[in-house]
Amino acid sequence: MPTDQLSATFSALADPTRRAILARLSRGEATVNDIAAPFDISLPAVSKHLRVLENAGLISRGRDAQWRPARLDAAPLESAADWIDGYRRFWEHSFDALEQHLTQEQKGNSHD
């Protein structure tokens, strides 16, 4: 089981159903029934996915009588985005260096 927040976030995001649930919750809070509607899985399976998301800190669940709405808590996603952004900068730098190299190669070949 992941011990740090970033690992917990990526572990929760590894499943496409959980990513779809987060996408649904980005539009507003919803009940388990609302969340389960587009999926061909049981309510207990949806509840398990919600528990994983809740344990990762990506959603919170309230209580209003019998209604337990789930809502997105996107804060952990910011840390994940920051981590990924470091690699985006790496690849941009790598592609810039490749472009520069290819441009120099083209200039060298055009003088032949």
Side-chain angles (χ1 to χ4, degrees):
M1 190 72 184
T3 56
D4 66 284
Q5 182 60 55
L6 190 58
S7 294
T9 299
F10 281 120
S11 179
L13 293 174
D15 186 276
T17 300
R18 290 193 286 269
R19 292 191 304 270
I21 290 170
L22 290 177
R24 165 55 186 92
L25 293 176
S26 72
R27 298 190 314 265
E29 65 184 28
T31 65
V32 174
N33 287 333
D34 294 335
I35 293 166
F39 300 108
D40 190 25
I41 58 176
S42 67
L43 285 177
V46 171
S47 291
K48 285 182 182 180
H49 284 298
L50 290 174
R51 264 193 306 281
V52 171
L53 292 169
E54 190 171 19
N55 290 339
L58 292 167
I59 68 167
S60 60
R61 298 185 67 191
R63 183 173 295 279
D64 183 13
Q66 297 297 325
W67 193 57
R68 287 205 57 202
R71 64 188 62 81
L72 177 66
D73 180 359
L77 294 174
E78 185 175 1
S79 296
D82 290 345
W83 185 85
I84 291 169
D85 194 50
Y87 289 94
R88 181 190 55 79
R89 288 190 299 274
F90 166 80
W91 282 109
E92 285 177 353
H93 175 73
S94 297
F95 288 136
D96 289 346
L98 177 61
E99 180 181 29
Q100 193 173 41
H101 172 75
L102 292 174
T103 300
Q104 289 173 350
E105 286 290 316
Q106 279 184 326
K107 286 181 182 177
N109 288 337
S110 67
H111 289 90
D112 290 343

